[in-house]
Amino acid sequence: MDWNDLRVFLAVARQGSALGAAVELAVNQTTVGRRLDALERALGLKLIERSQSGSRLTAAGEKLLPKAEKIEAEFAALSQQVSAFQRDLSGTLRLTLSDLSANMLMPALAEFRALYPEITVELIITDRFLDIAAGEADIAMRGTDRLEDSDLVARKLAQFEFAICCSRAYAARHGVPTAPEDLKDHILVGGEQEVANLPIVKWMFEQAPDAEVRCRSNSLGNMIMAVRNGLGVGPAPLLMMLEHPELVLCMTPEPPMMGGSWLVTRQDVKNTPRVRAFIDFFVPYFEGEMRKATEAYEASQRSA
């Protein structure tokens, strides 16, 4: 059955004629007759007797009318819920993340915008962990090896290994440090504020506390950009070696220094339509991108 055919049956039953049904539904009488014929063919039953004086329900039509009215009521309730949901799929969604993650996220945001044009994603770009519980943002994408215990809801997106690297231009001028003890003889790119406390940054300076530092940043993405531009030796996710061929792998710490990406939100907002829509879209997108990057890196290592 087609719901539009059933609507015609209900309109004819209420109005007592094809003309009345056509007026109610804002269609012509031919459409009313065609849809009613289609419904009767689909059911294999005669529902309405039509004559010059009007239309009346057959015995089958009388019996099916209450069921059709119940379907109409359920459909109206469904339509109201959909409308309410669509109204909630609007407004502003505040997302906090690092500049490194924000740059990676831009293609995904373009796709999300096409799917949900009424939702505005407001990016709060910082390496500082904003207080999600206090409402400083709706969702956070956090780069850390592990999260502190809290009442927040978190989804781990990926885990990756950090490396120490430099640029090809730097390597041409100063050589490549290949062991932790070599770092003391090289120029390092330093971190500030929260970035200085990242495990990989702390490890690097533990190996060479007195090394020369000509550039510091409170942004991991900016630190990596400084390394890519030859300002010194510094940390980067191992997967970035493939994405940025100007980077040269110097060393990986032992044991491996791992990082992770997490999506974090509050329990009370996680199922609101715009937050749920973002999570349901972004999680498989990010996991797919990480999977492709990992497969490409592993293939490059096999062919090296």
Side-chain angles (χ1 to χ4, degrees):
M1 283 188 296
D2 186 319
W3 162 242
N4 289 309
D5 297 343
L6 197 59
R7 286 178 64 218
V8 167
F9 166 67
L10 287 164
V12 172
R14 277 193 291 264
Q15 300 299 328
S17 69
L19 177 59
V23 172
E24 178 183 325
L25 299 173
V27 297
N28 58 49
Q29 283 184 259
T30 303
T31 299
V32 170
R34 177 171 52 80
R35 287 201 171 276
L36 195 55
D37 289 341
L39 179 63
E40 290 178 335
R41 283 196 304 272
L43 297 176
L45 293 170
K46 187 71 172 174
L47 301 178
I48 292 180
E49 293 288 354
R50 287 164 275 184
S51 66
Q52 293 290 339
S53 59
S55 301
R56 65 177 184 83
L57 295 175
T58 64
E62 290 280 2
K63 200 152 192 173
L64 292 178
L65 180 61
K67 297 290 187 184
E69 289 173 334
K70 186 175 179 180
I71 293 171
E72 182 182 41
E74 292 288 345
F75 191 85
L78 176 64
S79 296
Q80 289 173 0
Q81 288 182 348
V82 169
S83 296
F85 188 79
Q86 288 173 336
R87 285 195 300 273
D88 287 337
L89 284 172
S90 62
T92 299
L93 179 69
R94 294 169 302 154
L95 171 66
T96 178
L97 68 175
S98 69
D99 59 344
L100 187 65
S101 297
N103 292 337
M104 182 199 65
L105 186 63
M106 285 304 161
L109 284 182
E111 290 186 32
F112 183 77
R113 173 70 178 172
L115 288 171
Y116 303 102
E118 300 303 317
I119 299 177
T120 299
V121 180
E122 180 181 293
L123 298 181
I124 307 170
I125 299 176
T126 176
D127 280 291
R128 183 172 67 87
F129 283 3
L130 297 188
D131 192 343
I132 303 300
E136 290 188 337
D138 300 312
I139 303 177
M141 184 177 174
R142 290 182 171 168
T144 180
D145 56 334
R146 58 183 173 272
L147 296 173
E148 295 179 359
D149 289 339
S150 73
D151 292 330
L152 297 175
V153 181
R155 168 73 178 267
K156 191 170 187 177
L157 300 172
Q159 188 172 28
F160 48 86
E161 185 176 353
F162 271 105
I164 302 298
C165 57
C166 66
S167 72
R168 296 189 184 279
Y170 177 92
R173 294 194 305 270
H174 304 285
V176 177
T178 57
E181 57 269 23
D182 297 339
L183 291 172
K184 67 181 185 303
D185 301 318
H186 284 265
I187 303 165
L188 304 186
V189 175
E192 287 285 348
Q193 300 174 20
E194 287 83 0
V195 175
N197 292 317
L198 290 175
I200 186 65
V201 177
K202 291 173 69 174
W203 180 88
M204 183 176 68
F205 280 97
E206 285 168 359
Q207 313 311 309
D210 300 320
E212 182 181 356
V213 178
R214 294 183 186 172
C215 176
R216 294 184 185 274
S217 178
N218 65 347
S219 160
L220 178 60
N222 190 250
M223 282 183 67
I224 295 171
M225 184 64 72
V227 173
R228 288 173 56 196
N229 283 277
L231 294 178
V233 175
L238 194 56
L239 292 177
M240 292 188 74
M241 300 292 111
L242 186 65
E243 183 181 354
H244 300 290
E246 71 273 22
L247 289 175
V248 175
L249 175 62
C250 300
M251 68 192 78
T252 56
E254 287 293 339
M257 197 72 64
M258 306 303 294
S261 291
W262 303 76
L263 211 58
V264 181
T265 188
R266 301 195 310 276
Q267 184 74 39
D268 62 314
V269 302
K270 71 170 185 175
N271 287 321
T272 57
R274 61 179 176 271
V275 171
R276 187 78 261 162
F278 182 84
I279 293 172
D280 289 346
F281 170 83
F282 180 69
V283 168
Y285 180 94
F286 185 88
E287 290 176 342
E289 291 300 301
M290 288 298 297
R291 186 165 53 251
K292 286 189 288 186
T294 301
E295 290 170 355
Y297 178 76
E298 290 174 348
S300 71
Q301 293 300 103
R302 289 193 296 271
S303 62

